[in-house]
Amino acid sequence: MIDKTGKFTVLFTDGSFGMVNGNASTGFTGGFTMITTNTGLPNPLRGDMGSCGQGSPNIEPPTINCPVNYAVVRAGTNADITNPYSIYTVNGTTGAITLVPGGPLLYPGTSQTLQINGIGVNKLDGLIYGMAFEGSLNTARFVKTDAAYNVTLMGMIQPPPQNSLLAPSFVNSAAGTMDNNGNFYFTAVTTKAGNGPGELVIDKLWLGKIANVSSVTGTPTPVYYEVDWSGNPCKDFISSLNNDPINSGIKDLFYHPVTRTFFTYATYKLAGDNQYRGQMLELKPIGGPNSPNSYRLHCNDKIEMHDAETSGVMVTNEGAFLILLIDGTVGLIPRTGNSFNYSGDYVDLNKSTGLPPVIRADLGSCTDLQHPSENSGGQKASINFSLRPNPIAFNQDLVIRWTSVSNTGPVSVLIYDNNGTVVRRIGNVIAIEGDQLSISVANLASGIYYVQAISSDGRSQGKMKFIKMN
């Protein structure tokens, strides 16, 4: 069959499953790539497949409804960069990890595996954002995908300015996260010369921010905040970094919507260690969460011992801090009462996840946890509106009329196509019942589109479909 993305897939009578190289929109090359030799179907079999076809207007693009927890996982060590990534859902209570079918993640229109790291789930457009590792520490590419494995590539993420040609800067593609307002964060380092010939040590740690990712269509323009890491409980972790300055030591990152800080769980070894030391780290803004000028690294002085390194971290909707290790084990540090200081003991949650024993994985979540100053109603509210005209002719403006809005703050209005790609984003719209918003859609091709209105905290939203005619 040919699915809605244009991929030509083939099922064989022995249960194996593969794809014809190329795409319906760009042409097929005649080559063939096996996706899986064991689908779990009986052997031999007789099977047929059917699809609504490429670009079917009857299929809404898959979007993510929060709260939800995701993992992207591949087998192997850092050297195994050709192994494919797949998407999984993660049960934040039991630690159960379930494969989302439709993968693996590939470069669009090819059979080349996409090495996606540092994922975050964006509440504003329902997509997963991350960084692609392309074989070099200087090639962290910004990417996005939906839960149906439809990938969009953006440009390379430029690192912070390097100190000299001999002391380069690096973006850490392993650690990324999204906040509630559509901003993506990651870490980076600048280096300096060490004591030995050609030796490099980390000079500074940075937190990078790509703002309003739904509106990014090409090369992103990050803003960098320096991280002060002078706190004494961090000294062992910091000293461990100089054994491998190219790797920042932070395997994943999570923005907490209640504390408005960033959490991670660092694993490292000191001289003589047989196991990995695990330590909770937190990045707190200096200058306030809404307008930080830098961040400070705080390290919990509690140390846990592990047989494996950290692979991914996130905070679940229940408030627990979830940690996935590279041996497939899921553990957690529970919240302390109603606070989020995570000072308790590490607890193994699930050692039988079914993942391969050596993995590279990242976690991302969009929880319903929120800061006390934000709407605390608990349930999502609706933003209702009408669209006219619908269908809309090539030279007409699309008019949104707000009919019922329970949210009192500004909303974002997104228009995306039938593949889930955002083609227009208007921020800070004040939606008042009875008011109207006119949007020019003259440059849009004919087809099916969707309008989504969503509040800044992601708790209020509405969606409608319209048809553009040329």
Side-chain angles (χ1 to χ4, degrees):
M1 69 177 179
I2 296 179
D3 68 12
K4 69 183 184 65
T5 68
K7 184 168 66 175
F8 193 138
T9 53
V10 184
L11 175 66
F12 295 92
T13 61
D14 62 359
S16 59
F17 184 77
M19 63 176 285
V20 179
N21 296 341
N23 190 277
S25 61
T26 58
F28 297 107
T29 66
F32 185 84
T33 299
M34 187 64 68
I35 296 174
T36 178
T37 58
N38 183 13
T39 55
L41 296 172
N43 184 6
L45 62 86
R46 286 297 180 268
D48 290 278
M49 297 189 292
S51 170
C52 292
Q54 184 180 15
S56 169
N58 297 317
I59 302 176
E60 290 195 13
T63 56
I64 293 168
N65 294 316
C66 299
V68 67
N69 305 319
Y70 280 112
V72 293
V73 180
R74 68 171 169 85
T77 65
N78 280 336
D80 301 322
I81 64 170
T82 59
N83 290 357
Y85 271 104
S86 294
I87 302 174
Y88 294 76
T89 57
V90 183
N91 187 309
T93 302
T94 66
I97 295 179
T98 304
L99 176 67
V100 176
L105 288 165
L106 304 172
Y107 278 82
T110 76
S111 58
Q112 180 184 350
T113 58
L114 179 74
Q115 301 295 310
I116 187 172
N117 295 277
I119 66 165
V121 182
N122 188 6
K123 282 188 172 184
L124 299 188
D125 61 9
L127 299 176
I128 300 170
Y129 287 79
M131 295 172 284
F133 175 71
E134 300 186 332
S136 166
L137 290 165
N138 299 310
T139 56
R141 180 188 291 274
F142 199 40
V143 299
K144 61 182 176 181
T145 180
D146 59 28
Y149 294 85
N150 299 308
V151 174
T152 302
L153 302 175
M154 278 80 88
M156 299 295 180
I157 302 176
Q158 298 301 315
Q162 60 191 52
N163 295 324
S164 71
L165 293 177
L166 300 179
S169 306
F170 302 101
V171 170
N172 175 20
S173 62
T177 188
M178 294 285 310
D179 67 13
N180 276 1
N181 298 314
N183 305 308
F184 182 82
Y185 295 85
F186 59 96
T187 63
V189 296
T190 48
T191 63
K192 62 182 179 182
N195 295 325
E199 179 185 10
L200 293 175
V201 296
I202 291 181
D203 180 31
K204 294 178 180 179
L205 177 66
W206 302 84
L207 181 69
K209 173 185 175 182
I210 301 174
N212 300 323
V213 295
S214 298
S215 63
V216 175
T217 58
T219 300
T221 305
V223 175
Y224 285 98
Y225 304 94
E226 185 177 344
V227 176
D228 175 6
W229 57 3
S230 58
N232 187 60
C234 301
K235 62 182 179 62
D236 286 343
F237 165 67
I238 294 168
S239 67
S240 74
L241 300 182
N242 289 329
N243 297 325
D244 185 12
I246 292 177
N247 186 339
S248 76
I250 296 177
K251 308 298 186 192
D252 202 3
L253 198 66
F254 188 82
Y255 172 82
H256 200 298
V258 176
T259 63
R260 295 179 177 174
T261 60
F262 299 87
F263 286 94
T264 190
Y265 192 75
T267 46
Y268 56 92
K269 287 183 177 180
L270 299 179
D273 285 345
N274 293 320
Q275 290 181 295
Y276 292 95
R277 298 171 183 244
Q279 188 173 20
M280 175 74 74
L281 277 58
E282 185 178 9
L283 294 176
K284 295 183 178 181
I286 300 173
N290 296 322
S291 57
N293 50 57
S294 61
Y295 283 80
R296 180 171 289 118
L297 180 65
H298 296 259
C299 300
N300 194 324
D301 56 10
K302 186 176 184 60
I303 304 294
E304 303 274 359
M305 303 305 292
H306 301 278
D307 294 326
E309 297 176 85
T310 299
S311 184
V313 300
M314 68 183 173
V315 174
T316 69
N317 201 52
E318 295 74 30
F321 187 82
L322 209 67
I323 303 161
L324 175 63
L325 303 180
I326 65 169
D327 63 0
T329 297
V330 178
L332 63 80
I333 299 176
R335 61 189 291 187
T336 305
N338 292 323
S339 67
F340 293 94
N341 59 13
Y342 302 109
S343 59
D345 294 335
Y346 173 93
V347 178
D348 275 337
L349 185 61
N350 189 347
K351 295 183 71 70
S352 301
T353 55
L355 297 175
V358 179
I359 60 169
R360 285 296 180 268
D362 290 278
L363 301 180
S365 172
C366 54
T367 77
D368 272 347
L369 299 172
Q370 56 185 327
H371 193 272
S373 66
E374 297 174 343
N375 173 28
S376 58
Q379 297 295 320
K380 291 186 177 180
S382 296
I383 300 176
N384 297 316
F385 55 88
S386 63
L387 298 177
R388 61 176 178 85
N390 190 10
I392 183 170
F394 71 97
N395 61 347
Q396 294 177 301
D397 285 350
L398 181 69
V399 178
I400 300 174
R401 184 178 185 276
W402 309 106
T403 57
S404 176
V405 182
S406 55
N407 178 73
T408 58
V411 303
S412 294
V413 176
L414 292 86
I415 299 178
Y416 51 94
D417 62 21
N418 209 43
N419 291 320
T421 302
V422 175
V423 296
R424 186 72 50 79
R425 183 182 189 276
I426 305 171
N428 296 318
V429 174
I430 304 301
I432 300 175
E433 185 173 338
D435 282 2
Q436 297 184 160
L437 174 68
S438 294
I439 304 175
S440 174
V441 293
N443 64 333
L444 298 183
S446 59
I448 305 293
Y449 293 89
Y450 300 86
V451 176
Q452 183 178 36
I454 185 167
S455 62
S456 59
D457 61 8
R459 301 189 62 83
S460 302
Q461 54 186 290
K463 183 170 71 172
M464 287 194 70
K465 178 170 69 174
F466 73 92
I467 299 173
K468 172 68 187 307
M469 301 173 61
N470 285 338

